[in-house]
């Protein structure tokens, strides 16, 4: 038996023994995604991960993804124990939005409703009125705009300007970005589209405006996978982290999936369409954390109390 198969077997056994569940994002190691699915956990986008963690009866969750996903699970279910393979697995959006500076930005515009993306710290969520994910941000801002609300949006400037352009809402944008999606390029994508005239283009809205403008579908990771399954096209060009191709190809077996072009080759681009923090989830550190129960997520109860309101608003809206 290979070392990998042995680790997978141990993980299956320990999850069962501990009555624990594994929740994974589409960008993590394919073996972890498969394990999550086959052991009764889930592989999902950020909104579905939050909902699954909240609703599952297990008292222990292992979250394979990045820090904000573990924190969100903990805030929604403070009575559960939440562990992650590596507590340093962060996100450029979270890192680029320190709570002190974001608070000062909000305080300077007290007449605005504060809407933050899920990819933020618990403290930033605590300063917000609403938390949203990529799958539902547009609907929520459209809803607030219809009520005449002016908005502060943070931290992803590309997702923010896409929503602003779609809804016409009055939005002040924090200038953060995702280092993975920032690398996708409109001009190169156009050239690739010429070579694949039958391909539909699926784009995550953290991508730059020039890329989003070429999309047939703009959506969260789950929405992009659903589009590849449901759209009647033989080929798809996909602008998001390449981790998505594993589940996408399983879900749409007959379709040809093509990576959207990034700024350069591996020598020049910073991320090459794979998130360095999502890549910190391995079978080995997952197994270690299940065995030892180290790397538990804790959130300051005072912060949690405020932040959970903005998260629950989204979940209630989505229900
Ligand atoms: P989704 O909610 O679409 O899965 O996005 C999470 C993320 O971090 C994308 O980079
Ligand atoms: Fe953050 Fe981008 Fe990584 Fe998603 S892919 S976790 S937005 S750095």
């Amino acid at each position: 038996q290979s070392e990998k198969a042995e680790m997978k077997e141990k993980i299956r056994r320990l999850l069962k023994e501990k009555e624990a569940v594994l929740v994974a994002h589409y960008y993590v190691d394919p073996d972890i995604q498969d394990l999550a699915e086959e052991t009764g956990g889930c592989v999902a986008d950020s909104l579905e991960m939050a909902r699954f963690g909240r609703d599952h009866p297990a008292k222990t969750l292992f979250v394979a993804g990045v820090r904000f996903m573990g924190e969100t699970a903990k805030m929604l279910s403070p009575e559960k124990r939440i562990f992650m393979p590596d507590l340093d697995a962060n996100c450029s959006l979270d890192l680029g939005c320190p709570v002190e500076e974001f608070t000062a930005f909000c305080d300077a515009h007290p007449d605005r409703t504060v809407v933050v993306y899920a990819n933020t710290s618990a403290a930033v969520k605590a300063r917000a009125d609403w938390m949203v994910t990529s799958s539902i941000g547009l609907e929520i801002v459209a809803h607030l705009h219809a009520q005449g609300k002016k908005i502060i949006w943070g931290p992803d400037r590309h997702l923010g300007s896409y929503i602003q352009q779609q809804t016409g809402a009055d939005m002040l944008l924090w200038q953060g970005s995702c280092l993975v999606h920032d690398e996708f390029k409109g001009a190169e994508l156009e050239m690739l589209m010429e070579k694949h005239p039958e391909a539909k283009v699926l784009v995550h809205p953290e991508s730059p405006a020039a890329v989003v403008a070429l999309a047939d579908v703009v959506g969260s990771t789950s929405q992009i996978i659903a589009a590849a399954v449901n759209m009647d096209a033989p080929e798809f060009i996909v602008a998001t982290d390449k981790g998505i191709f594993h589940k996408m190809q399983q879900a749409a077996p007959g379709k040809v999936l093509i990576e959207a072009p990034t700024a350069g080759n591996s020598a020049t681009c910073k991320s090459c369409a794979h998130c360095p923090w999502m890549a910190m989830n391995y079978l080995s550190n997952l197994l270690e954390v299940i065995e030892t129960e180290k790397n538990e997520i804790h959130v300051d109860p005072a912060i949690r109390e405020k932040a959970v309101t903005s998260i629950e608003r989204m979940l209630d809206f989505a229900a």
Side-chain angles (χ1 to χ4, degrees):
Q1 211 183 9
S2 73
E3 200 186 342
K4 194 200 244 188
E6 249 172 63
M7 283 194 283
K8 289 173 96 169
E9 196 40 47
K10 276 190 192 160
I11 292 171
R12 282 188 202 99
R13 181 171 50 76
L14 286 167
L15 286 172
K16 210 168 182 178
E17 271 172 32
K18 292 179 184 243
E19 296 180 11
V21 74
L22 177 59
V23 183
H25 189 265
Y26 294 115
Y27 296 165
V28 301
D29 180 338
D31 287 311
I32 296 181
Q33 295 186 45
D34 289 346
L35 270 175
E37 214 162 57
E38 84 184 61
T39 55
C42 82
V43 48
D45 71 7
S46 321
L47 172 63
E48 294 161 345
M49 286 173 83
R51 201 189 265 141
F52 183 92
R54 179 196 62 178
D55 295 343
H56 199 282
K59 292 188 177 62
T60 309
L61 304 183
F62 292 92
V63 178
V66 295
R67 175 114 192 166
F68 80 84
M69 295 169 172
E71 284 185 351
T72 300
K74 182 68 184 172
M75 290 190 279
L76 286 167
S77 309
E79 73 292 352
K80 290 179 185 163
R81 295 187 74 200
I82 316 285
F83 299 91
M84 298 189 75
D86 192 326
L87 294 179
D88 289 329
N90 213 307
C91 167
S92 60
L93 290 166
D94 185 345
L95 291 167
C97 189
V99 67
E100 298 78 17
E101 287 160 46
F102 188 69
T103 301
F105 180 51
C106 298
D107 290 349
H109 306 279
D111 57 325
R112 289 177 178 262
T113 301
V114 179
V115 182
V116 299
Y117 194 33
N119 302 37
T120 46
S121 64
V124 164
K125 291 182 178 79
R127 181 61 187 80
D129 301 299
W130 288 77
M131 181 200 95
V132 302
T133 66
S134 61
S135 62
I136 197 150
L138 199 147
E139 286 95 321
I140 288 178
V141 171
H143 163 78
L144 295 170
H145 176 52
Q147 294 178 336
K149 301 244 164 70
K150 293 196 291 178
I151 287 156
I152 280 189
W153 168 271
D156 190 89
R157 66 195 168 99
H158 297 309
L159 178 55
S161 51
Y162 167 67
I163 292 177
Q164 185 171 42
Q165 175 234 324
Q166 292 289 309
T167 61
D170 179 341
M171 295 168 76
L172 278 184
L173 308 182
W174 187 263
Q175 294 297 311
S177 63
C178 159
L179 92 173
V180 178
H181 291 86
D182 228 7
E183 299 283 344
F184 291 114
K185 295 287 168 227
E188 284 82 347
L189 175 56
E190 247 178 316
M191 289 195 276
L192 186 63
M193 288 164 73
E194 277 166 26
K195 287 195 201 140
H196 297 272
E198 286 189 64
K200 297 285 180 202
V201 178
L202 311 178
V203 174
H204 196 282
E206 289 167 13
S207 308
V211 175
V212 172
L214 298 169
D216 293 293
V217 172
V218 179
S220 76
T221 48
S222 290
Q223 290 166 339
I224 289 176
I225 291 175
V229 172
N230 298 325
M231 285 177 91
D232 187 17
E235 294 186 331
F236 294 87
I237 299 174
V238 184
T240 194
D241 185 292
K242 62 174 84 158
I244 202 169
F245 288 105
H246 177 62
K247 274 282 158 264
M248 204 175 203
Q249 195 71 78
Q250 282 180 356
K255 312 259 172 109
V256 176
L257 307 175
I258 304 160
E259 286 180 35
T262 49
N265 54 34
S266 50
T268 55
C269 78
K270 279 179 274 173
S271 71
C272 289
H274 190 44
C275 176
W277 295 290
M278 291 284 185
M280 289 163 84
N281 295 271
Y282 309 99
L283 279 178
S284 55
N285 60 3
L286 173 62
L287 173 59
E288 192 187 347
V289 95
I290 301 177
E291 276 174 334
T292 60
E293 299 195 2
K294 63 173 194 171
N295 294 356
E296 183 165 2
I297 292 279
H298 297 285
V299 177
D300 178 338
I303 290 179
R304 184 244 162 210
E305 203 182 315
K306 289 189 193 148
V308 79
T309 313
S310 64
I311 306 171
E312 282 174 347
R313 267 197 191 125
M314 173 192 75
L315 292 172
D316 291 346
F317 183 92

